[in-house]
Amino acid sequence: MTVAAQDTPVTFEFVAQTQSSREVEIRARVEGFLEKRLYNEGDLVQAGQILFQMDPRPFEAALQSARGQLAQQQARLEMARSDLARIRPLVKIGAISKKSLDDAIGNERQAQAAVLSAEGEVRTAQLNLGYTTIASPLTGVSSFAKLQEGSYVTPGAAGLLTYVSQVDPIYINFSLSENEMLKFRSEIAAGQLRFPPHENFEVEVVLADGSVVPDRGRLNFADFAFSEATGTFLIRAEVANPKGLLRPGQFVRAHVKGAVRPNALLVPQRAVLQGSKSHYLWVIGGDGKPEQRIVEMGDWHGDDWFVAQGLRAGERIVVDGAIRVAPGVPLQIVDARPAAGATGQPQRPKAAEAWPGQQERLKASPPSAGQAQ
């Protein structure tokens, strides 16, 4: 085959793990007895959907008592205002002392403060009563209930009832090592690699069985600092997950697409031989005789291999039967046929739907037919 230089898209593959884009702990905010669980464990719950109901009767009684206290204080305030209204004109005509007026003003202000305090107690009682109805703050997949009906729950560590995890969209977390980052920097500086504008990479998710998730994602976060423990830094992608194919905690492979190797030289892997010290190719000279050429190889690309140094565009190389070639021996040259999947990544099946029953819970519809690269 004749080697040609061309801009070649490349894909970087990383081992990744899925993470809920938002996970909340459902906790009790008041103490009392758990009366009902109002959701099916593992179901998709909607924002505002009631998950648990605590016994509200003690809190209803507390609210009624607080309202009674407020009514008493309001009555005292009315009496204090009436007394003040009667005393003011008497002070003007000198019928009573000014101290009596000062006492009436103080009583009226104390009554106002008592009303404000009683209103606060009513508000607190209303909040506590509202906390007996525990709802989900977001739409997501629910976890199992950690406490069952009849349990006595308290705020704090013992008040954890369940989790709700938002799975649409879902995060894909993977790590980039320091060596990989430095390699990318040097290749970009040497003109051997080009990132997309604004580093707008596309992320394809491949499941453990090799199937591809139909929805693609984008990078949305890269940690600035390296982890001291691993020598890597975190990169995160966000992927739409409307059918619930991905669940938090799964191990997947992330294919990051969008980079290009400009004027790259690609040769089939079967054309490259391994010598005692380096890789080499058989390059066919103008007289049709082979010449052994030492080359420096780069990354793999499907069934092909990037040549970093040692080969020029337009040169002809031996692809098949290279193991039988001897220097200076004329060859019978036949154009090579490309092997199946020799360019780019191999075809991968599309990810299967969520398992029966769960698909209905997620209110998902079957994906369109077709295959993804």
Side-chain angles (χ1 to χ4, degrees):
M1 63 170 285
T2 301
V3 179
Q6 57 183 345
D7 291 352
T8 306
V10 291
T11 299
F12 304 118
E13 181 175 305
F14 300 91
V15 177
Q17 190 172 20
T18 59
Q19 178 191 0
S20 170
S21 56
R22 187 181 174 197
E23 183 177 85
V24 296
E25 298 177 343
I26 307 300
R27 291 182 175 272
R29 303 178 72 172
V30 292
E31 61 180 76
F33 286 95
L34 194 62
E35 193 172 69
K36 296 178 183 177
R37 173 172 58 82
L38 300 174
Y39 77 103
N40 293 323
E41 296 169 306
D43 267 3
L44 181 73
V45 296
Q46 302 296 322
Q49 179 178 334
I50 298 175
L51 305 181
F52 297 94
Q53 178 64 58
M54 296 177 64
D55 184 3
R57 290 172 295 182
F59 301 95
E60 291 172 348
L63 176 59
Q64 185 176 357
S65 177
R67 285 173 173 167
Q69 293 293 328
L70 175 61
Q72 287 183 2
Q73 299 302 332
Q74 287 173 337
R76 290 173 181 170
L77 176 60
E78 290 177 4
M79 292 179 60
R81 286 174 175 171
S82 298
D83 291 343
L84 180 60
R86 286 192 298 269
I87 290 174
R88 284 186 188 277
L90 295 176
V91 172
K92 290 181 179 180
I93 62 175
I96 59 175
S97 66
K98 188 174 183 300
K99 182 179 183 304
S100 298
L101 176 62
D102 294 339
D103 291 342
I105 293 173
N107 291 336
E108 192 263 349
R109 290 178 178 176
Q110 287 181 356
Q112 284 182 347
V115 168
L116 289 176
S117 178
E119 288 175 345
E121 293 294 331
V122 170
R123 180 59 179 157
T124 299
Q126 289 174 335
L127 287 173
N128 289 338
L129 178 60
Y131 291 153
T132 61
T133 301
I134 303 172
S136 173
L138 55 84
T139 298
V141 178
S142 59
S143 181
F144 65 93
K146 295 183 176 295
L147 295 174
Q148 300 300 327
E149 294 89 337
S151 301
Y152 188 78
V153 296
T154 58
L160 179 61
L161 300 177
T162 189
Y163 294 90
V164 174
S165 301
Q166 182 175 335
V167 294
D168 183 25
I170 197 166
Y171 288 157
I172 309 296
N173 295 326
F174 55 94
S175 297
L176 183 68
S177 70
E178 183 177 5
N179 289 337
E180 288 173 319
M181 188 194 71
L182 295 175
K183 177 186 174 185
F184 291 153
R185 283 183 180 177
S186 62
E187 290 180 344
I188 291 173
Q192 299 174 352
L193 183 65
R194 185 172 66 238
F195 280 178
H198 310 295
E199 297 188 0
N200 188 23
F201 290 97
E202 183 181 65
V203 179
E204 177 186 76
V205 179
V206 181
L207 301 181
D209 62 354
S211 58
V212 175
V213 175
D215 296 289
R216 305 292 179 91
R218 298 286 178 182
L219 299 183
N220 70 342
F221 173 75
D223 200 348
F224 182 77
F226 276 93
S227 167
E228 296 180 0
T230 62
T232 62
F233 69 92
L234 175 69
I235 297 179
R236 186 178 72 198
E238 183 178 294
V239 179
N241 189 35
K243 297 182 175 63
L245 298 177
L246 297 171
R247 294 300 181 93
Q250 279 183 267
F251 283 97
V252 296
R253 280 174 289 168
H255 289 175
V256 181
K257 302 185 175 184
V260 174
R261 292 196 180 276
N263 297 318
L265 300 179
L266 275 174
V267 299
Q269 292 181 24
R270 63 186 189 276
V272 183
L273 302 178
Q274 176 69 56
S276 58
K277 296 183 179 180
S278 63
H279 296 93
Y280 66 92
L281 296 165
W282 289 110
V283 178
I284 302 173
D287 55 359
K289 296 180 180 180
E291 168 196 349
Q292 190 180 85
R293 180 77 59 80
I294 295 176
V295 290
E296 180 181 337
M297 306 307 299
D299 297 330
W300 287 9
H301 183 72
D303 288 337
D304 292 339
W305 210 341
F306 285 106
V307 180
Q309 291 183 2
L311 194 65
R312 296 186 299 273
E315 293 186 308
R316 291 172 61 81
I317 62 170
V318 175
V319 175
D320 295 313
I323 194 67
R324 299 190 300 271
V325 175
V329 178
L331 302 177
Q332 180 181 357
I333 300 173
V334 179
D335 288 338
R337 295 180 180 179
T343 59
Q345 297 294 329
Q347 293 276 341
R348 296 179 184 271
K350 184 179 288 188
E353 290 298 313
W355 52 89
Q358 191 70 19
Q359 181 177 344
E360 296 180 3
R361 295 178 184 178
L362 295 173
K363 298 178 176 61
S365 57
S368 58
Q371 293 201 348
Q373 285 280 359

